[in-house]
Structure formats: C-alpha cells, structure tokens
Amino acid sequence: MTSHKTTQTMKPATAAKKLGVYLEATPAEFQEGVVTRSELNALQAEPPQWLQELRRNGPHPRPVVASKLGVSIAGLARGGVTEALTTEQIDALEQDNPEWLQKERATQAEVRKEAVRIKEKHAEQAEKAERRQQSGS
C-alpha cells in the first residue's frame, strides 16, 4: 500500500484573509486560482511587490481597518464603515476623529479592561483552588 501526500490548498478568499489583504484588490491570477500551503508560506516569507503595496497602502479588509483604528468590526459598522479603506482614508479618519470613533475606542478600551479583570479573577481563583488542594493532601 503506497501513501502519497496530497497538497493542501485553500480558496483565494481564505489565503487573502490569512495574508491580511482585501481579496478584491489582489491580482487576477491570485483571485482566480487556488493557493497551496507552500505558496502561502512563500508569500508570507517573501511578499511580492503587489502584496507589500497592498499591506502598506490598502485597500485594507475590515478586520485590518478595525485594528488600525483600535475599534471592533461591529464598531466600524456602527460608525457606517462597511467597505475596505485605504491607509490614506484610515489616516484621514484618525485625523478627523469623529464622535463615533471616539465612542468606539472608549468602548474597546472598556472591553479590554474587563477582559484583563476577568483573566486576573480566574488566575486568583485557580491559585486559591491550588492552595486548598495542597493543604488538603
């Protein structure tokens, strides 16, 4: 019985997501083909000019836009941003600093603070449980 390894491939949309780029802005040959795991690794290791350019100037997909602005994807939607934005558009938004962006950033800061609080609480509970276990044995 012979076993041969099949090449793992992914759709262009999946590869674009993993590369952090907006699929519609990638070259046609990237959008129309399939991407193997080794091709994806090669793109990440040595990004071609088009990929470097996309990462630098955009348009960027919403998760990247949200990250650059320090808000959630839902926050972007609440702010009316539903499309990919270029780096220039993101910079302009930060410059204008509209009320919705200020509000969403504050919300995001609260969410992060709460996540830290919960993590610390869990660590404290785990520590207490471990002490109880050690004193009981």
Side-chain angles (χ1 to χ4, degrees), residues 31-86:
Q31 291 181 39
E32 293 160 6
V34 293
V35 181
T36 66
R37 173 68 60 196
S38 56
E39 286 171 336
L40 179 71
N41 292 342
L43 285 169
Q44 287 172 323
E46 291 180 35
Q49 191 60 47
W50 66 263
L51 183 53
Q52 291 176 32
E53 194 64 31
L54 265 181
R55 285 177 168 169
R56 191 177 315 114
N57 300 316
H60 303 287
R62 286 182 314 147
V64 173
V65 173
S67 173
K68 285 179 181 278
L69 290 172
V71 299
S72 66
I73 295 172
L76 276 183
R78 285 190 292 270
V81 178
T82 55
E83 295 299 313
L85 297 180
T86 63

Side-chain angles (χ1 to χ4, degrees), residues 3-24:
S3 70
H4 64 281
K5 196 172 178 190
T6 57
T7 306
Q8 189 182 6
T9 60
M10 62 193 84
K11 293 177 182 170
T14 305
K17 188 179 269 186
K18 289 180 183 289
L19 292 169
V21 294
Y22 186 57
L23 178 63
E24 283 75 8

